[in-house]
Amino acid sequence: MTVAIEKPALSSAAAKFLQKEHKLLIDGRWVAAKSGETFPVEDPATEETIAHVPGGDKADIDLAVAAARRAFETGPWSRISPGERSKIVWRLGDLLERYGDELAELEALDNGKPVTNARRGDVEGSIDMFHYMAGWATRLNGETIQVSSPGNWHAYTVREPVGVVGQIIPWNFPLMMAAWKLAPALAAGCTIVLKPAEQTPLTALRLGELVQEAGVPDGVVNIVTGFGETAGAALAEHPDVDKIAFTGSTEVGRLIVKASAGNLKRVSLELGGKSPAIVFPDADLDLAIVGTAAAIFYNQGQCCTAGSRLFAHKSVYDRIVSGVVEEAGKLKVGHGLDPTVNLGPLVSKEQHERVTGYIQAGHGEGAEVVVGGKTGNGHGYFVEPTVLAKTNRDMRVVREEIFGPVVCVQSFDDEDLDSVAKFANDTEYGLQASVWTRNLKVAHMMARKIKAGTICINTHNYGDPAWPFGGYKQSGWGREMGKEVMEHYTETKSVAARL
Ligand code: NAP
Ligand code: MG
């Protein structure tokens, strides 16, 4: 594999941020971890240390939760009007726009992803999220309720913020995951303790500065960098946290549920996936080839919705496989900061070992490595875009989430949609599925039959702030985005008055 090794220089804004002494944001102040610990942040393309951030743990989480509680109960946030809240959330979107290039560079450097994708995908998606959610702040209405009890009654509901929210996010879309979490919680009037992933803390810290610049009062947003086992676990089990919103692995999702039991805090989970992309014989094959290749190779395959199980009808199977292989060959692999690069390194050594381990396991179980499979031979956690053919339902590569640029292709020859849906549903996950066809009946009947929270027709990895997103089965609990997400961050209070 050829890896473009050139590492373009950072802009002065991004370089200046990087050189700062990074701190935790607690109660509106930037502070070191109580323990004084820090840990290194790595550029996954070069394996160089690019920064150090505080290793926050339980002591820091306790301070952050106390600050969030004060801000919620007695701070200006609880008295501010919905209109003012809306303006602040909107302003955060504007600030992301203003500093978008800098944020994209930091994301590319920290996560490894191509800077062009970071700017167009991660940063734009985050801006849109703040702007969309700003609108919800002024639309959280209750209802008047028609009750039938004897006498005269005035009964109504009000929507109130759920309180102090702990938010734990992963490394695959660090800024965007922070935006998905912060924007609706702020719009609802909650206060927040956010723990970014240990691999990618930088854009969350930069976002913390923008939170202050936008005029969010002290203590409303607290950001604690640290490890899952310490900071994350302390947040998940904290008795004074009212709700946890988590995105990450299904395995850690289970730990979050257990940890939440102490005070029965509300929990929402966005977990893993093993999403099918199903190509019917009548599909626009050029579109399907480009689309199903992007479904697995975008973001180095590190998408919870990645189209990692590709099902092609036997009449188009060869064309789809050769087309996806050709698409893989077009991807320029290299340092994410290079604007011409399409595929960066995986996020970490651990992830590199995991993905290469799966490729070997697939090969060992009889899958044919049609293209890819190799890793970089210098520094950096690069893995070639990889197509595994001759795969079947019993292989680990087909059953388990790989979270890398590795697609498992299978063919089907059934005309009966129930049988096709059975392949698609043969997984413990249910986050997304894509259906590639020109036949409207096939498209919408498949949408009904597939057990997944999001169905894409002639596209994959689709998302929009207004479009509810989440999983069936072990892909999670609840929906983010759209009006549905406001359910997570509000309680409904029912009031009945005898007149
Ligand atoms: P992970 O461990 O689930 O990490 C997600 C977040 O949870 C991180 O902030 C993590 O902190 C934190 N965490 C870990 N253990 C915790 C605990 N006991 N209590 C509270 N918080 C905890 O994911 P990962 O280890 O980074 O990746 C492993 C696999 O998860 C991937 O290979 C992929 O299959 C899947 N994954 C899925 C998504 C998704 O969007 N659905 C995203 C990322 C990963 P640390 O950063 O310190 O670990
Ligand atoms: Mg982890």
Side-chain angles (χ1 to χ4, degrees), residues 376-409:
N377 47 11
H379 286 301
Y381 307 125
F382 294 94
V383 174
E384 278 182 323
T386 301
V387 176
L388 302 180
K390 305 207 171 93
T391 57
N392 65 58
R393 67 176 301 282
D394 299 318
M395 293 179 175
R396 274 185 61 214
V397 283
V398 172
R399 306 218 67 78
E400 296 173 19
E401 185 177 46
I402 299 177
F403 229 61
V406 183
V407 65
C408 297
V409 204

Side-chain angles (χ1 to χ4, degrees), residues 335-359:
H335 198 288
L337 281 177
D338 177 343
T340 65
V341 154
N342 315 107
L343 196 92
L346 300 183
V347 73
S348 64
K349 183 165 198 273
E350 186 187 3
Q351 201 60 19
H352 188 261
E353 281 169 2
R354 178 185 163 101
V355 172
T356 52
Y358 270 115
I359 296 172

Side-chain angles (χ1 to χ4, degrees), residues 125-137:
S126 306
I127 295 167
D128 291 348
M129 186 59 63
F130 282 108
H131 283 165
Y132 172 83
M133 289 298 166
W136 276 110

Side-chain angles (χ1 to χ4, degrees), residues 1-14:
M1 158 169 68
T2 335
V3 176
I5 41 160
E6 198 192 333
K7 176 183 175 181
L10 283 175
S11 67
S12 58

Side-chain angles (χ1 to χ4, degrees), residues 77 81-94 126-140 179 182-189 465 482 485-486:
W77 201 237
S81 73
E84 282 304 311
R85 228 164 46 220
S86 173
K87 277 187 209 157
I88 289 178
V89 177
W90 183 275
R91 213 176 289 145
L92 261 167
D94 287 350
S126 306
I127 295 167
D128 291 348
M129 186 59 63
F130 282 108
H131 283 165
Y132 172 83
M133 289 298 166
W136 276 110
T138 52
R139 285 157 179 78
L140 296 171
L182 290 183
L186 285 172
V485 70
M486 301 318 296

Side-chain angles (χ1 to χ4, degrees), residues 169-171 195 198 228 232 246 248-249 271 304 351 354 401 403:
I169 56 173
W171 43 257
K195 193 208 84 70
E198 64 184 71
F246 172 79
S249 60
L271 307 175
C304 46
Q351 201 60 19
R354 178 185 163 101
E401 185 177 46
F403 229 61

